[in-house]
Amino acid sequence: MTTPAESPVFLLGATGGIGVATARLLDRQGFPLTLAGRDAGKLEVLAKELDSPQTVLCDATDAEQVKAAYEGAVAHHGKVGGVANLVGSLVLKPAHATSVEDWRNTITLSLDSAFYLLRACAQGMCKSGGGSVVLMSSAVGKLGFAAHEAVAAAKGGVQGLMLSAAASYASRGLRVNCVSPGTTETPLAEPILRSEPSKKATMAMTPDGKIGTPEAVASAIAWLLHPDQWHVTGQNIGVDGGLSSLRAK
């Protein structure tokens, strides 16, 4: 049975709120890490905290940079057993108020980056024995929420990408899954949560009445990346307090 120490992980978007929580958890669990992000200062701070991870500057919206960063991780570790794309954005506007620039940026950050990572890693991981790919979707990719058109389109696209890729590579030992958070206490969601009325309204919408934490999302990501979950593929795991599937009130 493969152990975490034998299954290095490549994290794209490692310096965001969920990325940092995931890196910390995987580090504690003994996974060798490559942390990729576009903020050199944040990467340096995170690397100093952890057990000597490899770090690499990478713009997730550039396919060639993603490919080079992944290949650098393979060269550094000898192989990569898991990858996760933790890049995303949040635009909360109806379609008529969403600029073309905001639309393209949202699609590029969430959906294009997921495709670029899959494209970079799939063939090599299959040849080296398979592994786990975790993509980041959202509860809004499953349900219709007002003023979420751009992010819902991007995250819904990620779910479709995951399902098709899971089918493509299942027989070759590569597992592909999604994690879909609800509103989570990250810098990305700060504009929503800094307003007490907005925060209370968000909590009231959620069946368990709580705001998610990066650590809760990281736990699901780490579970899917672990080699023990060799029989789990094609799944969209909601970490949203029941938001995407329950109506408790």
Side-chain angles (χ1 to χ4, degrees), residues 51-88:
D51 184 21
S52 305
Q54 181 195 28
T55 61
V56 57
L57 281 174
C58 177
D59 181 350
T61 68
D62 185 313
E64 291 306 310
Q65 287 192 39
V66 173
K67 181 174 184 288
Y70 170 76
E71 290 176 348
V74 173
H76 180 77
H77 297 291
K79 65 171 286 187
V80 168
V83 304
N85 179 32
L86 309 177
V87 178

Side-chain angles (χ1 to χ4, degrees), residues 25 32 38 41 44 54 83 98 101 117 124 137 150 152 156 161 163-164 166-168 194 207 215 221 225 229:
L25 179 55
R38 59 184 179 183
E44 183 179 359
Q54 181 195 28
V83 304
T98 301
E101 181 181 7
L117 183 56
S137 187
L161 175 65
L163 288 168
S164 186
S168 293
R194 68 185 172 206
E215 291 75 20
I221 295 167
L225 287 170
Q229 313 324 322

